[in-house]
Amino acid sequence: QAVAVSAYHTVGLRRDGTVVASGDTQYGQCDTEDWTGVTAIAAGERHTLGLREDGTVVAAGDDGSGQCAVSDWKL
């Protein structure tokens, strides 16, 4: 369905809306195994984002600058 890459990890969006990730997960950026209903993905250097079908956003990884503070987002 889709692939996103960063300098240190790669993320894949499956047709069923689940997400897989591999590579460096020192900051938890590959902790996407429980994501479901995802329609789009993005990979930052130390974080991963997913857009769910209901418009909410999920994030995993380094939040040192607030880049994962998306729990209130609804697009």
Side-chain angles (χ1 to χ4, degrees):
Q1 193 76 339
V3 174
V5 298
S6 79
Y8 302 107
H9 72 292
T10 303
V11 185
L13 175 60
R14 293 181 173 142
R15 291 180 196 267
D16 66 0
T18 60
V19 177
V20 294
S22 65
D24 181 8
T25 193
Q26 177 180 357
Y27 297 92
Q29 63 267 44
C30 292
D31 295 343
T32 61
E33 58 276 345
D34 61 346
W35 291 9
T36 59
V38 176
T39 60
I41 53 172
E45 185 172 328
R46 295 177 177 166
H47 67 288
T48 302
L49 297 170
L51 174 63
R52 288 199 164 130
E53 4 180 74
D54 66 359
T56 58
V57 180
V58 290
D62 184 12
D63 192 32
S65 298
Q67 61 268 47
C68 292
V70 297
S71 61
D72 295 340
W73 288 21
K74 176 104 178 181
L75 305 178

